[in-house]
Amino acid sequence: MTTEEQAREIKNRHSLRLLQQPGVAGVGVERDAQGNYCISIHLDSDDPGLQAGLPTELEGCPVKFIHSGPFRKLSRD
């Protein structure tokens, strides 16, 4: 089982590469349904082909895919 700190370190090592992949909108650390830490990869569409080239685990830490759509920067107004 991966600790929160380990998951954050893994995320930091892989985020830049993952964010360069088409369809990846964001990378984070979350808990899965059992309460274990995992890497979350946010995808900007439901296209099943997006997941095909992405890992299902990173350094032994499971990956969870979330279809969240593109992220947009919010204004401060």
Side-chain angles (χ1 to χ4, degrees):
M1 182 164 29
T2 306
T3 67
E4 181 179 11
E5 182 179 339
Q6 290 168 326
R8 291 194 184 286
E9 290 171 357
I10 293 167
K11 175 200 156 257
N12 290 339
R13 285 193 289 274
H14 295 274
S15 288
L16 183 60
R17 177 180 56 83
L18 290 169
L19 289 167
Q20 293 173 347
Q21 300 294 316
V24 175
V27 181
V29 172
E30 297 190 19
R31 288 184 185 244
D32 63 17
Q34 293 76 36
N36 299 313
Y37 286 100
C38 63
I39 306 299
S40 57
I41 298 179
H42 295 262
L43 303 173
D44 64 12
S45 85
D46 314 9
D47 179 0
L50 290 178
Q51 283 181 227
L54 296 171
T56 56
E57 72 167 328
L58 292 167
E59 299 181 35
C61 184
V63 169
K64 172 181 168 181
F65 295 103
I66 301 169
H67 300 279
S68 59
F71 290 141
R72 288 180 222 93
K73 185 176 181 180
L74 298 176
S75 68
R76 294 182 155 214
D77 299 334

